[in-house]
Amino acid sequence: MQVYELATLTAATVGATGRFGPALSAFCAEDGARGRLLGTFVTEVGALNRVLVLRGFVDEAELRAERRRTQASSNPFGCAEWLGGMELDAYAPLDFVPPVETGAFGPFYEVRTYVTRPNGLGPTIEAWREQLPARRELSRLLVAMHTLDGPTRFTHIWPYPSMDTRAAIRATAVERGIWPPRGGPTWLSPDMRSWICTPLPGSPLT
């Protein structure tokens, strides 16, 4: 089963995030690297001075091998000089969501993460299964996935050509009763976040 890793890198100093792009691409292309680099992004709205790295893997074994390489590296992601913190989260996609495709879908990417209630993941997935086809008629979904480790989190990423387009699509979805999925919010905790990101140079998603 295809799985993903979403790495959250915190810059050690203000203004350092602009240096991450080429280094990230080089690290993910090194001899011995596993997986496929899908996208690199810097946060513009939400928690700032963050860089997100989305990578895809053929299975959990490949992901774990690359995680070991990353954690053991003296220069993780090629960014040790500017890196103040690193979080690595493993994810499984929803089984009815197509694999991530790279391309020019942005340049604005909304990354939304919810912590589900202890018994909330299953009902959340089923609510999405029912409502997502109608929501995808309004705009592209890059991926929807849930964590394989740590607290149970549900993350989805939506690309938009502009922030005005995002606002208009979301308003339409609510007005038509398409979104949020019926009953879905019942199974979520109040622990939520939404970041607006833009691609870094060298990102396969732009």
Side-chain angles (χ1 to χ4, degrees):
M1 180 185 69
Q2 169 106 28
V3 294
Y4 299 102
E5 179 187 78
L6 186 62
T8 303
L9 311 180
T10 302
T13 58
V14 175
T17 54
R19 303 178 182 180
F20 279 59
L24 293 171
S25 298
F27 180 82
C28 294
E30 288 178 355
D31 289 342
R34 310 282 187 96
R36 178 186 176 205
L37 178 64
L38 299 172
T40 57
F41 310 93
V42 60
T43 54
E44 302 287 353
V45 177
L48 301 180
N49 299 305
R50 305 294 198 278
V51 168
L52 304 184
V53 183
L54 180 64
R55 296 191 282 181
F57 300 89
V58 296
D59 54 29
E60 285 192 62
E62 186 181 54
L63 184 152
R64 301 298 175 189
E66 178 62 11
R67 177 171 292 187
R68 288 192 293 270
R69 184 183 82 94
T70 302
Q71 292 176 323
S73 174
S74 61
N75 189 21
F77 289 101
C79 300
E81 180 181 355
W82 318 299
L83 195 58
M86 178 176 74
E87 299 176 19
L88 306 176
D89 293 311
Y91 281 91
L94 304 190
D95 60 11
F96 49 89
V97 172
V100 172
E101 296 180 11
T102 56
F105 306 130
F108 296 95
Y109 287 78
E110 182 176 19
V111 181
R112 296 179 71 89
T113 296
Y114 310 140
V115 176
T116 68
R117 297 188 182 279
N119 61 341
L121 181 60
T124 299
I125 291 174
E126 292 310 308
W128 274 63
R129 190 188 304 275
E130 180 179 345
Q131 293 290 120
L132 186 58
R135 176 62 182 83
R136 291 180 65 193
E137 290 179 4
L138 299 181
S139 70
R140 173 183 288 270
L141 170 70
L142 184 70
V143 69
M145 52 192 183
H146 63 85
T147 49
L148 293 170
D149 46 21
T152 303
R153 283 155 291 157
F154 188 86
T155 293
H156 40 118
I157 303 176
W158 304 82
Y160 296 100
S162 72
M163 294 300 290
D164 286 344
T165 300
R166 171 188 174 273
I169 289 172
R170 287 175 59 82
T172 298
V174 172
E175 181 181 347
R176 295 182 184 176
I178 295 171
W179 214 249
R182 286 187 292 272
T186 302
W187 301 100
L188 305 178
S189 81
D191 188 352
M192 305 176 179
R193 76 182 186 198
S194 179
W195 291 349
I196 301 296
C197 307
T198 55
L200 284 167
S203 173
L205 281 162
T206 60

